[in-house]
PDB file of all heavy atoms in Angstrom:
ATOM      1  N   THR B  79      25.000   6.237   1.325  1.00 97.00           N
ATOM      2  CA  THR B  79      24.329   6.435   0.035  1.00 97.00           C
ATOM      3  C   THR B  79      24.280   5.123  -0.750  1.00 97.00           C
ATOM      4  O   THR B  79      23.217   4.739  -1.252  1.00 97.00           O
ATOM      5  CB  THR B  79      25.060   7.530  -0.784  1.00 97.00           C
ATOM      6  OG1 THR B  79      25.110   8.720   0.007  1.00 97.00           O
ATOM      7  CG2 THR B  79      24.353   7.820  -2.082  1.00 97.00           C
ATOM      8  N   ALA B  80      25.390   4.429  -0.817  1.00 97.00           N
ATOM      9  CA  ALA B  80      25.436   3.153  -1.556  1.00 97.00           C
ATOM     10  C   ALA B  80      24.556   2.102  -0.875  1.00 97.00           C
ATOM     11  O   ALA B  80      23.870   1.320  -1.544  1.00 97.00           O
ATOM     12  CB  ALA B  80      26.872   2.659  -1.664  1.00 97.00           C
ATOM     13  N   GLU B  81      24.577   2.107   0.447  1.00 97.00           N
ATOM     14  CA  GLU B  81      23.785   1.112   1.165  1.00 97.00           C
ATOM     15  C   GLU B  81      22.284   1.388   0.979  1.00 97.00           C
ATOM     16  O   GLU B  81      21.483   0.456   0.840  1.00 97.00           O
ATOM     17  CB  GLU B  81      24.154   1.118   2.657  1.00 97.00           C
ATOM     18  CG  GLU B  81      23.905  -0.236   3.301  1.00 97.00           C
ATOM     19  CD  GLU B  81      24.288  -0.296   4.780  1.00 97.00           C
ATOM     20  OE1 GLU B  81      24.961   0.620   5.293  1.00 97.00           O
ATOM     21  OE2 GLU B  81      23.876  -1.284   5.417  1.00 97.00           O
ATOM     22  N   LEU B  82      21.928   2.663   0.938  1.00 98.00           N
ATOM     23  CA  LEU B  82      20.518   2.997   0.737  1.00 98.00           C
ATOM     24  C   LEU B  82      20.071   2.638  -0.680  1.00 98.00           C
ATOM     25  O   LEU B  82      18.964   2.129  -0.884  1.00 98.00           O
ATOM     26  CB  LEU B  82      20.276   4.490   1.022  1.00 98.00           C
ATOM     27  CG  LEU B  82      18.805   4.885   1.154  1.00 98.00           C
ATOM     28  CD1 LEU B  82      18.132   4.148   2.310  1.00 98.00           C
ATOM     29  CD2 LEU B  82      18.647   6.391   1.351  1.00 98.00           C
ATOM     30  N   GLU B  83      20.942   2.867  -1.641  1.00 98.00           N
ATOM     31  CA  GLU B  83      20.593   2.497  -3.018  1.00 98.00           C
ATOM     32  C   GLU B  83      20.361   0.987  -3.119  1.00 98.00           C
ATOM     33  O   GLU B  83      19.400   0.535  -3.760  1.00 98.00           O
ATOM     34  CB  GLU B  83      21.687   2.930  -3.996  1.00 98.00           C
ATOM     35  CG  GLU B  83      21.319   2.593  -5.440  1.00 98.00           C
ATOM     36  CD  GLU B  83      22.192   3.290  -6.472  1.00 98.00           C
ATOM     37  OE1 GLU B  83      23.296   3.729  -6.124  1.00 98.00           O
ATOM     38  OE2 GLU B  83      21.737   3.372  -7.642  1.00 98.00           O
ATOM     39  N   ALA B  84      21.202   0.212  -2.451  1.00 97.00           N
ATOM     40  CA  ALA B  84      21.038  -1.246  -2.457  1.00 97.00           C
ATOM     41  C   ALA B  84      19.703  -1.635  -1.803  1.00 97.00           C
ATOM     42  O   ALA B  84      19.047  -2.600  -2.230  1.00 97.00           O
ATOM     43  CB  ALA B  84      22.211  -1.898  -1.741  1.00 97.00           C
ATOM     44  N   THR B  85      19.298  -0.892  -0.805  1.00 98.00           N
ATOM     45  CA  THR B  85      18.017  -1.162  -0.131  1.00 98.00           C
ATOM     46  C   THR B  85      16.832  -0.932  -1.076  1.00 98.00           C
ATOM     47  O   THR B  85      15.875  -1.712  -1.097  1.00 98.00           O
ATOM     48  CB  THR B  85      17.880  -0.244   1.110  1.00 98.00           C
ATOM     49  OG1 THR B  85      19.013  -0.470   1.958  1.00 98.00           O
ATOM     50  CG2 THR B  85      16.600  -0.516   1.865  1.00 98.00           C
ATOM     51  N   PHE B  86      16.903   0.143  -1.869  1.00 98.00           N
ATOM     52  CA  PHE B  86      15.857   0.375  -2.875  1.00 98.00           C
ATOM     53  C   PHE B  86      15.771  -0.830  -3.820  1.00 98.00           C
ATOM     54  O   PHE B  86      14.692  -1.273  -4.173  1.00 98.00           O
ATOM     55  CB  PHE B  86      16.166   1.645  -3.681  1.00 98.00           C
ATOM     56  CG  PHE B  86      15.621   2.912  -3.077  1.00 98.00           C
ATOM     57  CD1 PHE B  86      16.098   3.388  -1.858  1.00 98.00           C
ATOM     58  CD2 PHE B  86      14.627   3.644  -3.712  1.00 98.00           C
ATOM     59  CE1 PHE B  86      15.600   4.564  -1.298  1.00 98.00           C
ATOM     60  CE2 PHE B  86      14.116   4.815  -3.162  1.00 98.00           C
ATOM     61  CZ  PHE B  86      14.601   5.287  -1.957  1.00 98.00           C
ATOM     62  N   LYS B  87      16.927  -1.345  -4.207  1.00 98.00           N
ATOM     63  CA  LYS B  87      16.927  -2.487  -5.129  1.00 98.00           C
ATOM     64  C   LYS B  87      16.344  -3.734  -4.460  1.00 98.00           C
ATOM     65  O   LYS B  87      15.576  -4.474  -5.071  1.00 98.00           O
ATOM     66  CB  LYS B  87      18.338  -2.762  -5.667  1.00 98.00           C
ATOM     67  CG  LYS B  87      18.819  -1.619  -6.565  1.00 98.00           C
ATOM     68  CD  LYS B  87      19.921  -2.038  -7.539  1.00 98.00           C
ATOM     69  CE  LYS B  87      20.515  -0.841  -8.271  1.00 98.00           C
ATOM     70  NZ  LYS B  87      19.689  -0.311  -9.371  1.00 98.00           N
ATOM     71  N   ASP B  88      16.697  -3.954  -3.188  1.00 98.00           N
ATOM     72  CA  ASP B  88      16.112  -5.086  -2.446  1.00 98.00           C
ATOM     73  C   ASP B  88      14.584  -5.005  -2.465  1.00 98.00           C
ATOM     74  O   ASP B  88      13.893  -6.003  -2.672  1.00 98.00           O
ATOM     75  CB  ASP B  88      16.536  -5.060  -0.964  1.00 98.00           C
ATOM     76  CG  ASP B  88      18.006  -5.390  -0.760  1.00 98.00           C
ATOM     77  OD1 ASP B  88      18.652  -5.862  -1.712  1.00 98.00           O
ATOM     78  OD2 ASP B  88      18.505  -5.144   0.361  1.00 98.00           O
ATOM     79  N   LEU B  89      14.073  -3.814  -2.195  1.00 98.00           N
ATOM     80  CA  LEU B  89      12.618  -3.659  -2.052  1.00 98.00           C
ATOM     81  C   LEU B  89      11.907  -3.821  -3.390  1.00 98.00           C
ATOM     82  O   LEU B  89      10.853  -4.455  -3.479  1.00 98.00           O
ATOM     83  CB  LEU B  89      12.275  -2.306  -1.416  1.00 98.00           C
ATOM     84  CG  LEU B  89      12.667  -2.169   0.072  1.00 98.00           C
ATOM     85  CD1 LEU B  89      12.558  -0.714   0.545  1.00 98.00           C
ATOM     86  CD2 LEU B  89      11.783  -3.060   0.951  1.00 98.00           C
ATOM     87  N   LEU B  90      12.485  -3.246  -4.434  1.00 98.00           N
ATOM     88  CA  LEU B  90      11.831  -3.356  -5.752  1.00 98.00           C
ATOM     89  C   LEU B  90      11.951  -4.759  -6.333  1.00 98.00           C
ATOM     90  O   LEU B  90      11.029  -5.240  -7.001  1.00 98.00           O
ATOM     91  CB  LEU B  90      12.398  -2.319  -6.724  1.00 98.00           C
ATOM     92  CG  LEU B  90      11.626  -1.003  -6.864  1.00 98.00           C
ATOM     93  CD1 LEU B  90      10.196  -1.236  -7.334  1.00 98.00           C
ATOM     94  CD2 LEU B  90      11.588  -0.199  -5.582  1.00 98.00           C
TER      95      LEU B  90
END
Side-chain angles (χ1 to χ4, degrees):
Chain B
T79 304
E81 207 179 348
L82 193 61
E83 182 166 20
T85 303
F86 272 66
K87 293 202 188 283
D88 290 348
L89 291 168
L90 264 301

